[in-house]
Amino acid sequence: MKKGNIFSGMRPTGRLHIGHLSVLNNWIKLQNDYNCFFGIVDWHALTTAFDYTETIQDNIRMMLLDWLSAGLDPEKSTIFVQSNVKEHGELHLLLSMITPLSWLERVPTYKDQIQQLGSQGKDISTYGFLGYPLLMAADILVYRSNLVPVGEDQLPHLEFTREICRRFNYLYKCEIFPEPQAELAKVAMLPGVDGRKMSKSYNNDIPLGASSEEIWEKVQLMVTDPARIRKTDPGHPEVCIVHTYHSIYSALGIEELREDCRQGKMGCVVCKKRLAKIIDEQLAPLREKRDYYEQKPELLTEILAEGARKARITAGETMELVRSAMNI
Ligand code: TRP
């Protein structure tokens, strides 16, 4: 007996990196106990990248490979592309009828993003982008989800979804939608190798599919304690990116490592080699799975087709209830 339904999704905007693993591992853990729907949300990607769609199909494949390599299991979870399940679009439209504009305008990410992208010369003051949180609400509600595993940055969107959910149930005197709860992953804050936020656009990330060589190259770029010139100089692990990583990945030997650094007993190169080895060990099983799937493009197509077919069944049932409640 499953404990309920789950929806979560990611926008296919490029390769995933090790900073995404905490959210993904949370999904992987939940797929045993819940009826899970995981969507590659390509319509959401269009809200900002509407003028650059050439790479979207490649990005969808890459995201699927990243997910499968991390351990999402198409035998357990329903994995699909959002635009293949038109019910998301229909629910978005119907919910738009009951959504006050002011609710959308006050979602904190809205003005922030408009400003941020605006300063880069990109105008996203579109109808579609304003509706981003409502499309998200449709994603979640169309599966009558109980739980939504996300990162903390998505909480305002989830709160908005709950408000829409209550408003619908209230207006149409029904209990079609359970109120979805957030399931927060413990997100380890991994900085990029240069100390900025980890992002592929800064090229300071370690991709999930990185080879051993690529991992070593990236670890070599990590910024260490600038006051430490010679190996025997005492180090300051608190300001060192390599140390930040060790404290997440090498919990066991961390005290000793810190002392060796402070006393100038261990040089940065050795310390980096150790870290690269640990990250490599973490990513090796992912690479193996990725290789397996990469050689089977027809299997990838099949997984998405089967996922969409299953998703449509549940989404279709919800839409029957919704249309009937709205007399449509
Ligand atoms: N907005 C989410 C993000 O950027 C992606 C997303 C779209 C999503 N629809 C969702 C997440 C529904 C959870 C549930 O990460």
Side-chain angles (χ1 to χ4, degrees), residues 7-11 23 27 37 39-41 44-45 82 88 113 132-133 135-141 145 147-151 153-154 157-158 161:
F7 179 86
S8 197
M10 290 187 194
R11 281 170 301 141
V23 169
W27 292 12
F37 297 87
I40 299 177
V41 291
H44 275 101
Q82 182 190 37
H88 291 234
Q113 283 255 42
Y132 186 110
L135 185 54
M136 227 175 116
D139 296 340
I140 295 168
L141 296 176
S145 307
L147 218 58
V148 187
V150 280
D153 59 318
Q154 297 299 316
H157 292 147
L158 212 73
T161 301

Side-chain angles (χ1 to χ4, degrees), residues 228-266:
R228 201 167 178 214
I229 296 160
R230 265 162 273 124
K231 179 182 143 188
T232 48
D233 292 342
H236 303 87
E238 6 6 290
V239 300
C240 177
I241 301 287
V242 185
H243 174 258
T244 308
Y245 274 73
H246 269 303
S247 60
I248 291 163
Y249 289 112
S250 333
L252 276 179
I254 188 72
E255 289 302 332
E256 197 188 333
L257 187 118
R258 241 178 239 151
E259 269 321 293
D260 285 355
C261 172
R262 286 207 176 97
Q263 293 173 17
K265 278 197 206 151
M266 182 178 52

Side-chain angles (χ1 to χ4, degrees), residues 152-209:
E152 216 173 7
D153 59 318
Q154 297 299 316
L155 283 183
H157 292 147
L158 212 73
E159 202 42 54
F160 172 84
T161 301
R162 289 147 58 86
E163 276 169 324
I164 294 294
C165 164
R166 287 193 289 267
R167 183 163 165 85
F168 185 96
N169 287 343
Y170 168 77
L171 277 172
Y172 303 106
K173 300 182 185 54
C174 64
E175 286 178 17
I176 295 177
F177 299 122
E179 246 183 69
Q181 309 294 321
E183 161 84 19
L184 283 185
K186 269 195 225 83
V187 179
M189 264 315 283
L190 272 184
V193 296
D194 56 1
R196 291 189 289 174
K197 181 177 171 312
M198 190 184 289
S199 159
K200 80 168 161 51
S201 50
Y202 296 148
N203 197 27
N204 64 359
D205 63 327
I206 300 178
L208 287 188

Side-chain angles (χ1 to χ4, degrees), residues 203-219:
N203 197 27
N204 64 359
D205 63 327
I206 300 178
L208 287 188
S211 64
S212 307
E213 298 75 47
E214 198 178 343
I215 294 171
W216 176 229
E217 269 165 35
K218 285 282 167 65
V219 170

